[in-house]
Amino acid sequence: FIRPIPRGVIVDADAERRRRRTRVVALSNMVGAGAVDAALRAETKEECSSFGKVLGVRIFERPVGGAIGEDDAVRIFVRFAEEEAAERALLAMHGRFFGGREVRADFFDEARYKANDFA
């Protein structure tokens, strides 16, 4: 049984995303396994700087296999000075195409970022 939404109640589809908003954005499917090169970090920082001050960019490459697919083998973590900048980046990057690949973006826990816990 699904209850109808009462008249006059506004449903905010982005409320969950804003509730867990952080200053770190995780980007995946920008490049495939083995495609990380020396320019990727600088290119990502330059692109993301248009959304706000970038404090750091870390790239984590996982071996493909099991539950790890080609599209999730490389994850790029971008830490911003402000949550609002991270949100602008997430909204702009999610679904965007980079090198023929559709980028996925999500917020990432800041404590895990600081601890280098990217697995």
Side-chain angles (χ1 to χ4, degrees):
F1 171 67
I2 299 174
R3 290 185 301 197
I5 298 171
R7 175 175 246 133
V9 173
I10 298 172
V11 176
D12 187 350
D14 293 326
E16 173 62 21
R17 179 179 44 78
R18 279 196 308 275
R19 184 186 65 74
R20 57 187 180 84
R21 184 170 77 168
T22 70
R23 294 182 302 155
V24 179
V25 174
L27 304 170
S28 56
N29 201 36
M30 283 186 63
V31 297
V36 174
D37 61 19
L40 182 60
R41 183 183 322 275
E43 290 172 356
T44 302
K45 182 175 183 176
E46 181 180 338
E47 179 67 24
C48 288
S49 291
S50 65
F51 307 114
K53 184 177 181 179
V54 173
L55 300 178
V57 176
R58 296 184 185 164
I59 299 173
F60 182 71
E61 192 166 0
R62 304 185 300 179
V64 175
I68 310 295
E70 170 70 22
D71 61 336
D72 204 30
V74 177
R75 298 177 76 197
I76 303 170
F77 300 88
V78 183
R79 183 172 176 234
F80 290 89
E82 300 175 344
E83 285 183 357
E84 293 78 12
E87 183 167 30
R88 286 191 297 271
L90 184 142
L91 292 172
M93 298 296 285
H94 187 75
R96 180 176 173 179
F97 282 84
F98 181 84
R101 303 171 75 96
E102 187 174 2
V103 176
R104 289 189 317 275
D106 203 355
F107 290 115
F108 189 77
D109 183 77
E110 289 186 56
R112 288 183 61 198
Y113 177 88
K114 290 176 185 175
N116 291 318
D117 179 11
F118 303 124

